Amino acid sequence: MPQSTKTAIMVIGGAEDKVHGREILQTFFYRSGGSEARLAIIPSASREPTLVGDRYQGIFGEMGAKEIRVLDIRDRAQGSDSQFQDYIEECTGVFLTGGDQLRLCGLLSDTPLMERVRQRVHLGEITLAGTSAGAAVMGHHMIAGGGSGESPNKSLVDMAIGLGIIPEVIVDQHFLNRNRTARLMSAIAGHPDRLGIGIDEDTCAMFERDGWMQVLGKGTVTIIDPGEMFQTNHQDVDPTNPISLHNMRVHILCHGDRYHLHKRSMRFIDS
């Protein structure tokens, strides 16, 4: 395991290994400072925040983090809590757990705490990780829900506003495990200025400050790039009718593969 303490944004597809090698969680631990890490766990997306918060606290405690606090935010007013804000100033890593992404955004978006987290992430001062619902909220546009297993169509995806940590992407998680390819394509058809990122379970898209994204874990990351798409009937069809997408580019990346978010180009592990 590389002992890098360079900060990153870690977007995890859910169901990350919490028992065996814990590669993704170990990477978050190291990127947050290793034995000097001061971690904030935010379980607000979960219906059982105490249980979920305690589980991650135990995992990172076993790894040897210097300090771990669960910020159990259940009311928007707590996003202005001075003790929580003071800890966000001190911490080196923030972890957003899974659950319901609408609940997470409802509690955190536009709060002083979340604004400060975003600032510190963009300054490269802390590592931010989000799994499942915590991954879905990373873009400005967010997939709030929808179906699977159909052809792309507008009724397949429900959109909302996310936390805007990586504004130019739309993230979908549990991706191939829940057959969500058409859902993400439907979202991108409606927002062709964005880049679709579909992340499988126990897989992480790790975004570095230099614009490179690296894949970690056992599954794949699917990139849906509409940059050269020249035609779609998205504006003209009823919600349940299929969407046509001409010249949409799709990349499938696995462990070690890299992709540049701004150049929209790839680099492989042996290059």
Side-chain angles (χ1 to χ4, degrees):
M1 177 66 62
Q3 299 286 316
S4 172
T5 56
K6 190 169 62 172
T7 61
I9 302 170
M10 300 182 61
V11 190
I12 306 165
E16 73 283 356
D17 175 13
K18 301 176 184 67
V19 179
H20 302 295
R22 296 174 169 174
E23 178 188 23
I24 293 169
L25 296 179
Q26 285 272 8
T27 301
F28 170 72
F29 167 72
Y30 287 125
R31 290 294 185 114
S32 299
S35 60
E36 294 299 309
R38 301 166 70 96
L39 305 179
I41 313 297
I42 302 180
S44 302
S46 177
R47 292 178 182 172
E48 298 181 315
T50 303
L51 187 69
V52 171
D54 286 351
R55 184 168 194 194
Y56 283 104
Q57 188 169 31
I59 290 169
F60 295 124
E62 285 178 21
M63 291 180 188
K66 185 173 186 176
E67 185 174 3
I68 309 157
R69 291 193 199 176
V70 177
L71 307 189
D72 190 355
I73 297 168
R74 306 192 192 196
D75 186 285
R76 275 188 64 82
Q78 292 175 280
S80 303
D81 181 285
S82 60
Q83 289 186 322
F84 286 170
Q85 286 181 273
D86 288 346
Y87 189 63
I88 288 300
E89 293 296 331
E90 299 172 7
C91 75
T92 59
V94 174
F95 194 97
L96 305 174
T97 76
D100 180 341
Q101 52 263 47
L102 282 173
R103 173 178 165 80
L104 183 59
C105 286
L107 289 169
L108 289 183
S109 61
D110 299 322
T111 61
L113 183 144
M114 198 63 229
E115 290 303 307
R116 187 58 182 142
V117 168
R118 182 173 21 235
Q119 288 171 1
R120 294 201 69 205
V121 168
H122 288 158
L123 289 169
E125 295 175 355
I126 60 174
T127 289
L128 174 67
T131 186
S132 191
V137 300
M138 291 291 182
H140 171 75
H141 295 290
M142 172 179 80
I143 295 177
S148 62
E150 300 177 24
S151 303
N153 67 78
K154 288 189 274 193
S155 69
L156 196 60
V157 61
D158 302 319
M159 300 299 295
I161 301 300
L163 296 180
I165 304 295
I166 313 173
E168 55 267 59
V169 304
I170 297 176
V171 174
D172 211 346
Q173 12 75 43
H174 301 281
F175 192 62
L176 293 179
N177 311 80
R178 299 186 186 176
N179 197 13
R180 288 176 169 171
T181 304
R183 181 167 94 165
L184 183 57
M185 287 182 172
S186 304
I188 291 296
H191 300 280
D193 57 333
R194 308 290 159 156
L195 190 71
I197 309 282
I199 310 173
D200 295 352
E201 293 177 357
D202 196 19
T203 309
C204 173
M206 183 168 67
F207 292 84
E208 310 278 8
R209 294 188 72 212
D210 60 5
W212 284 103
M213 180 270 285
Q214 179 178 349
V215 179
L216 306 173
K218 73 175 187 181
T220 62
V221 171
T222 301
I223 307 287
I224 308 290
D225 179 2
E228 297 177 16
M229 186 175 71
F230 58 78
Q231 185 177 336
T232 175
N233 64 352
H234 181 271
Q235 300 298 327
D236 305 321
V237 295
D238 293 333
T240 56
N241 287 349
I243 299 170
S244 63
L245 301 155
H246 295 223
N247 209 45
M248 176 177 273
R249 185 172 290 187
V250 178
H251 303 289
I252 310 290
L253 285 68
C254 60
H255 183 87
D257 288 346
R258 296 175 183 267
Y259 182 89
H260 200 282
L261 185 61
H262 310 300
K263 297 176 183 176
R264 297 199 175 184
S265 61
M266 297 183 65
R267 182 174 69 193
F268 297 97
I269 193 166
D270 57 353
S271 63

mmCIF file of all heavy atoms in Angstrom, residues 58-78:
data_model
loop_
_atom_site.group_PDB
_atom_site.id
_atom_site.type_symbol
_atom_site.label_atom_id
_atom_site.label_comp_id
_atom_site.label_asym_id
_atom_site.label_seq_id
_atom_site.Cartn_x
_atom_site.Cartn_y
_atom_site.Cartn_z
ATOM 1 N N GLY A 58 -14.815 2.402 14.124
ATOM 2 C CA GLY A 58 -14.058 1.216 14.515
ATOM 3 C C GLY A 58 -13.016 0.811 13.487
ATOM 4 O O GLY A 58 -11.875 0.471 13.832
ATOM 5 N N ILE A 59 -13.377 0.879 12.210
ATOM 6 C CA ILE A 59 -12.450 0.497 11.134
ATOM 7 C C ILE A 59 -11.228 1.402 11.139
ATOM 8 O O ILE A 59 -10.079 0.940 11.117
ATOM 9 C CB ILE A 59 -13.166 0.543 9.769
ATOM 10 C CG1 ILE A 59 -14.185 -0.606 9.667
ATOM 11 C CG2 ILE A 59 -12.157 0.477 8.622
ATOM 12 C CD1 ILE A 59 -15.124 -0.492 8.483
ATOM 13 N N PHE A 60 -11.457 2.716 11.151
ATOM 14 C CA PHE A 60 -10.328 3.646 11.079
ATOM 15 C C PHE A 60 -9.553 3.696 12.397
ATOM 16 O O PHE A 60 -8.353 3.978 12.406
ATOM 17 C CB PHE A 60 -10.805 5.037 10.666
ATOM 18 C CG PHE A 60 -11.366 5.080 9.266
ATOM 19 C CD1 PHE A 60 -12.650 5.555 9.021
ATOM 20 C CD2 PHE A 60 -10.620 4.626 8.192
ATOM 21 C CE1 PHE A 60 -13.161 5.588 7.740
ATOM 22 C CE2 PHE A 60 -11.124 4.650 6.895
ATOM 23 C CZ PHE A 60 -12.403 5.128 6.678
ATOM 24 N N GLY A 61 -10.236 3.360 13.490
ATOM 25 C CA GLY A 61 -9.539 3.234 14.765
ATOM 26 C C GLY A 61 -8.558 2.077 14.750
ATOM 27 O O GLY A 61 -7.421 2.191 15.223
ATOM 28 N N GLU A 62 -8.981 0.938 14.165
ATOM 29 C CA GLU A 62 -8.086 -0.222 14.039
ATOM 30 C C GLU A 62 -6.878 0.105 13.169
ATOM 31 O O GLU A 62 -5.777 -0.417 13.397
ATOM 32 C CB GLU A 62 -8.848 -1.394 13.413
ATOM 33 C CG GLU A 62 -9.817 -2.088 14.354
ATOM 34 C CD GLU A 62 -10.573 -3.198 13.636
ATOM 35 O OE1 GLU A 62 -10.078 -3.674 12.584
ATOM 36 O OE2 GLU A 62 -11.655 -3.576 14.108
ATOM 37 N N MET A 63 -7.076 0.955 12.177
ATOM 38 C CA MET A 63 -5.962 1.325 11.294
ATOM 39 C C MET A 63 -4.959 2.226 12.004
ATOM 40 O O MET A 63 -3.807 2.323 11.572
ATOM 41 C CB MET A 63 -6.493 2.029 10.035
ATOM 42 C CG MET A 63 -7.262 1.105 9.109
ATOM 43 S SD MET A 63 -7.857 1.987 7.639
ATOM 44 C CE MET A 63 -8.889 0.732 6.904
ATOM 45 N N GLY A 64 -5.399 2.904 13.065
ATOM 46 C CA GLY A 64 -4.476 3.713 13.843
ATOM 47 C C GLY A 64 -4.598 5.212 13.670
ATOM 48 O O GLY A 64 -3.638 5.951 13.912
ATOM 49 N N ALA A 65 -5.792 5.695 13.244
ATOM 50 C CA ALA A 65 -5.987 7.139 13.094
ATOM 51 C C ALA A 65 -5.800 7.839 14.436
ATOM 52 O O ALA A 65 -6.150 7.310 15.500
ATOM 53 C CB ALA A 65 -7.369 7.437 12.529
ATOM 54 N N LYS A 66 -5.244 9.028 14.397
ATOM 55 C CA LYS A 66 -4.958 9.787 15.610
ATOM 56 C C LYS A 66 -6.238 10.208 16.323
ATOM 57 O O LYS A 66 -6.334 10.160 17.550
ATOM 58 C CB LYS A 66 -4.128 11.027 15.246
ATOM 59 C CG LYS A 66 -3.653 11.834 16.447
ATOM 60 C CD LYS A 66 -2.695 12.928 16.004
ATOM 61 C CE LYS A 66 -2.082 13.646 17.203
ATOM 62 N NZ LYS A 66 -1.080 14.657 16.760
ATOM 63 N N GLU A 67 -7.235 10.635 15.557
ATOM 64 C CA GLU A 67 -8.513 11.068 16.142
ATOM 65 C C GLU A 67 -9.616 10.807 15.133
ATOM 66 O O GLU A 67 -9.434 10.986 13.925
ATOM 67 C CB GLU A 67 -8.474 12.554 16.505
ATOM 68 C CG GLU A 67 -9.724 13.034 17.223
ATOM 69 C CD GLU A 67 -9.627 14.482 17.707
ATOM 70 O OE1 GLU A 67 -8.607 15.143 17.429
ATOM 71 O OE2 GLU A 67 -10.579 14.935 18.358
ATOM 72 N N ILE A 68 -10.764 10.372 15.619
ATOM 73 C CA ILE A 68 -11.928 10.135 14.764
ATOM 74 C C ILE A 68 -13.156 10.660 15.488
ATOM 75 O O ILE A 68 -13.399 10.311 16.648
ATOM 76 C CB ILE A 68 -12.138 8.626 14.482
ATOM 77 C CG1 ILE A 68 -10.854 7.965 13.996
ATOM 78 C CG2 ILE A 68 -13.267 8.421 13.484
ATOM 79 C CD1 ILE A 68 -10.817 6.475 14.220
ATOM 80 N N ARG A 69 -13.909 11.497 14.810
ATOM 81 C CA ARG A 69 -15.172 11.967 15.378
ATOM 82 C C ARG A 69 -16.289 11.710 14.380
ATOM 83 O O ARG A 69 -16.129 11.919 13.178
ATOM 84 C CB ARG A 69 -15.113 13.462 15.695
ATOM 85 C CG ARG A 69 -14.194 13.805 16.851
ATOM 86 C CD ARG A 69 -14.413 15.235 17.307
ATOM 87 N NE ARG A 69 -13.292 15.730 18.086
ATOM 88 C CZ ARG A 69 -13.186 16.980 18.537
ATOM 89 N NH1 ARG A 69 -14.147 17.863 18.258
ATOM 90 N NH2 ARG A 69 -12.139 17.353 19.233
ATOM 91 N N VAL A 70 -17.418 11.259 14.912
ATOM 92 C CA VAL A 70 -18.624 11.099 14.104
ATOM 93 C C VAL A 70 -19.442 12.378 14.249
ATOM 94 O O VAL A 70 -19.855 12.738 15.355
ATOM 95 C CB VAL A 70 -19.441 9.870 14.551
ATOM 96 C CG1 VAL A 70 -20.727 9.773 13.732
ATOM 97 C CG2 VAL A 70 -18.613 8.592 14.416
ATOM 98 N N LEU A 71 -19.641 13.075 13.138
ATOM 99 C CA LEU A 71 -20.463 14.284 13.148
ATOM 100 C C LEU A 71 -21.886 13.856 12.778
ATOM 101 O O LEU A 71 -22.267 13.799 11.610
ATOM 102 C CB LEU A 71 -19.919 15.320 12.156
ATOM 103 C CG LEU A 71 -18.429 15.687 12.287
ATOM 104 C CD1 LEU A 71 -18.096 16.879 11.396
ATOM 105 C CD2 LEU A 71 -18.036 15.965 13.732
ATOM 106 N N ASP A 72 -22.669 13.533 13.798
ATOM 107 C CA ASP A 72 -24.001 12.954 13.619
ATOM 108 C C ASP A 72 -25.006 14.090 13.400
ATOM 109 O O ASP A 72 -25.730 14.500 14.312
ATOM 110 C CB ASP A 72 -24.360 12.109 14.845
ATOM 111 C CG ASP A 72 -25.617 11.282 14.622
ATOM 112 O OD1 ASP A 72 -26.254 11.448 13.562
ATOM 113 O OD2 ASP A 72 -25.966 10.479 15.505
ATOM 114 N N ILE A 73 -25.038 14.576 12.173
ATOM 115 C CA ILE A 73 -25.881 15.722 11.822
ATOM 116 C C ILE A 73 -27.251 15.211 11.391
ATOM 117 O O ILE A 73 -27.381 14.505 10.392
ATOM 118 C CB ILE A 73 -25.215 16.551 10.698
ATOM 119 C CG1 ILE A 73 -23.890 17.125 11.205
ATOM 120 C CG2 ILE A 73 -26.149 17.650 10.211
ATOM 121 C CD1 ILE A 73 -23.022 17.708 10.114
ATOM 122 N N ARG A 74 -28.275 15.579 12.162
ATOM 123 C CA ARG A 74 -29.642 15.134 11.859
ATOM 124 C C ARG A 74 -30.583 16.317 11.633
ATOM 125 O O ARG A 74 -31.792 16.124 11.455
ATOM 126 C CB ARG A 74 -30.177 14.256 12.990
ATOM 127 C CG ARG A 74 -29.261 13.086 13.305
ATOM 128 C CD ARG A 74 -29.910 12.087 14.201
ATOM 129 N NE ARG A 74 -28.943 11.124 14.719
ATOM 130 C CZ ARG A 74 -29.280 9.977 15.283
ATOM 131 N NH1 ARG A 74 -30.546 9.636 15.408
ATOM 132 N NH2 ARG A 74 -28.328 9.163 15.735
ATOM 133 N N ASP A 75 -30.043 17.520 11.666
ATOM 134 C CA ASP A 75 -30.831 18.733 11.494
ATOM 135 C C ASP A 75 -29.947 19.768 10.797
ATOM 136 O O ASP A 75 -28.757 19.871 11.109
ATOM 137 C CB ASP A 75 -31.281 19.251 12.869
ATOM 138 C CG ASP A 75 -32.237 20.424 12.761
ATOM 139 O OD1 ASP A 75 -31.760 21.533 12.447
ATOM 140 O OD2 ASP A 75 -33.446 20.245 12.976
ATOM 141 N N ARG A 76 -30.522 20.532 9.881
ATOM 142 C CA ARG A 76 -29.717 21.505 9.134
ATOM 143 C C ARG A 76 -29.024 22.510 10.054
ATOM 144 O O ARG A 76 -27.927 22.991 9.745
ATOM 145 C CB ARG A 76 -30.594 22.269 8.135
ATOM 146 C CG ARG A 76 -30.772 21.548 6.821
ATOM 147 C CD ARG A 76 -31.475 22.435 5.799
ATOM 148 N NE ARG A 76 -30.709 23.613 5.446
ATOM 149 C CZ ARG A 76 -29.730 23.630 4.551
ATOM 150 N NH1 ARG A 76 -29.377 22.518 3.933
ATOM 151 N NH2 ARG A 76 -29.095 24.752 4.270
ATOM 152 N N ALA A 77 -29.663 22.824 11.187
ATOM 153 C CA ALA A 77 -29.069 23.800 12.109
ATOM 154 C C ALA A 77 -27.707 23.328 12.610
ATOM 155 O O ALA A 77 -26.836 24.153 12.929
ATOM 156 C CB ALA A 77 -30.010 24.059 13.285
ATOM 157 N N GLN A 78 -27.506 21.998 12.660
ATOM 158 C CA GLN A 78 -26.220 21.471 13.133
ATOM 159 C C GLN A 78 -25.086 21.762 12.153
ATOM 160 O O GLN A 78 -23.917 21.700 12.528
ATOM 161 C CB GLN A 78 -26.336 19.966 13.385
ATOM 162 C CG GLN A 78 -27.229 19.609 14.561
ATOM 163 C CD GLN A 78 -27.388 18.106 14.683
ATOM 164 O OE1 GLN A 78 -28.170 17.488 13.965
ATOM 165 N NE2 GLN A 78 -26.612 17.509 15.583
#
